[in-house]
Amino acid sequence: MVCAHFNSLQEAYLGNLVALKHQPGAIELMDDIIMNCTKENIEQRKNRFFIQGDPKAMLMIEFARETPEEIQAIATQLEADFRAAGLGYHFPLVLGDANIKRVWALRTAGLGLLSNIPGDKRSVTVIEDTAVAPEYLPDYMDEFDQILGKYGLSCVKYAHIATGEIHLRPLLNLKDKADVALYHTIAREIAQLVKKYKGSLSGEHGDGRLRGEFIPFMLGERNYQLIKTLKQTWDPQNIMNPGKIVETPPITENLRYLLGQTRELETTFDFSDQKGFLRAIEKCNGSGDCRKSVAIGGSMCPTFMVTKDEDKTTRGRANILREFLSRSEKANPFDHEEVYEVLDLCISCKACKAECPSNVDMAKFKAEFLQHYYEIHGIPFRTRLIAYLPLLNHWGRMMRPLTNFITGTSTFKKAIGFAPERQLPRLSKLSLRQWYKRPIQLNGQGKGKVYLFADEFTNENESDLGIKAILLLNKLGYEVGIPKHVESGRTYLSKGLVKKAKKLANKNVQKLYPLIGETSPLLGIEPSAILAFRDEYPELVDTSLKNQAVALSKNTLMLDEFLASEFEKGNIDASLFTREKRTIKLHGHCQQKAVASTDPTKRMLEIPENYTVSEIPSGCCGMAGSFGYEREHYELSQKIGELVLFPAVRQAAPETIIAAPGTSCRHQIAEGTGRRALHPVEILYEALKC
């Protein structure tokens, strides 16, 4: 694939004609609006590896030939032809299926990425499917721009330029009466322009409610009457898809949004970057990227992958939220059990935050909704129990043996609504903080000081991991401190007690901001806890603390990220670790994949020179914090695990090490497969030479 960079769209239109002479398999266009949107998308930022500078337009030109030499020759000649015509400035050649898929992923994300433009102006459909012969395209687009310029409109341009089909989506506010009228005007004038150039108003899609109104004009009245006769003959009662092709109402009817101002809702999270909670929800444009399957890959959306129900998709949930919050006739629009029920099976995995091109963060929407819903209806007992787990663990430690015994009984689990098949996490003999207070020499060897966040799960339930992390860091030459802080707030966020989580976030930022910096980072073991500093905190803390929260987030790392970075800088010597061969299969944590990356974990695990790591292509493990423990969710939780993760673990050789950074993931793997999964830090610690 040759990815030709251009200084203007007009250059790209002419460049398309040059490229077509070389018989490519495909040519796709992206404009600078979409390319700029990819900078803000977690998933697509990784796919910008081939972009140089800030081109105004790009052509992605794909070739398939028998030999690499033929491809190289075509690419060389194509670049020469572009330069001879004075078109473009950079023409990288991308080779290999994996890299080409990344380029296509960037292009196909275009529709969803457009929803990241803040405010009520959206890239609207209606003229996005026009097509004219490629040789007419430069002149057609020149007249097209004149029409939009007449009305002071801008437009996004992308897609199938090889066949003269460019998706054209003007930016309009369909909540504004004037823009709704303009919507119809633009549609009519562009239809006239398309007909002038003997093109099609529906180049690859259907007409339907969007363009059905213009069928009589595009096909002529006589042909339209023939279609009407056909419809009346075969469907005299007008049962099948009425109003889609014949007798189609104007496009200004049945619009999704209500005219007038967007309902402003007071929230605990700060949605100001999206111009409010409702506009954040409206970023979902219905592209359906959330309707993934195991065959497609990815993590979004786990409950849909099992049930195949539309209301289990991010799109379905966003539609329900938008509909009720914008059209509710109740005094409090959050007072709707229907929304509560639809959000129940959102497991807050955060996959949509990364994989949805529009970055729709349904986990955050769910937490915000639940906060309001519970203020009306009260907090259920089990919800309160799970949210306040850190406090309960602290009290339970006073009589640890009895606490572990009681929580291990079926009677207790049934009483609180947990599945009796589950084994609840036990309290460690010593908390991490209790161990750390002991007089053990922990000073490093001059490589600097780091701070370890003693999260609520590691501190109380898996203190052995925290101890190994400290000993590992110390062995590698780092002084480790555990600063004063409160819990991360993850349990409260997961159950919708956002105001309580906000108080904790405020305290942590106030306590940690003065300590943490580039040379003294804050490190974490449990992804869901430490990544709250990077994900939720900047949008959760008081406005006066926002800048501090953002600064703190930049120096907050998973331990995996820190060690991988230090190794790459040459600060960690591989000779400190065993040379024995080990094979590791890694299951990444959902929030790690959404907010950070599993790449540092893989690099860290391969610091021992004979350790080989492969990542299991799994989405969510199915446990999702407390979700899989809850009795009514247990069966679905297991089915999610059976999609990819459980079979992959069972098929792994007995000597293969299973790695999983998430505490709930390790519990799910143990109960679903009988295999013990280790935290990556644990694996690296055990790899140290004595």
Side-chain angles (χ1 to χ4, degrees), residues 51-118:
I51 299 178
Q52 183 183 93
D54 290 301
K56 294 295 291 183
M58 181 175 296
L59 293 182
M60 299 163 173
I61 310 160
E62 188 176 60
F63 296 95
R65 297 294 187 271
E66 295 297 327
T67 66
E69 290 76 18
E70 289 178 272
I71 293 292
Q72 188 63 58
I74 290 172
T76 301
Q77 185 59 54
L78 178 60
E79 179 175 347
D81 290 352
F82 278 140
R83 294 192 183 279
L87 303 172
Y89 68 89
H90 183 53
F91 312 94
L93 175 61
V94 179
L95 299 170
D97 287 348
N99 283 332
I100 289 175
K101 283 179 181 177
R102 291 173 65 191
V103 177
W104 282 138
L106 192 79
R107 212 306 278 147
T108 55
L111 172 61
L113 290 169
L114 296 176
S115 295
N116 290 328
I117 300 172

Side-chain angles (χ1 to χ4, degrees), residues 421-423 621 623 629 638 645-646 649-650 658 660 662-678:
E421 298 90 340
R422 291 294 189 191
Q423 299 299 315
C621 71
M623 187 69 90
Y629 287 99
Q638 294 301 97
L645 178 60
F646 290 175
V649 172
R650 293 189 192 110
I658 307 299
T663 180
S664 59
C665 303
R666 294 192 296 276
H667 281 85
Q668 176 78 326
I669 291 169
E671 295 185 21
T673 69
R675 292 283 296 266
R676 180 175 176 238
L678 303 178

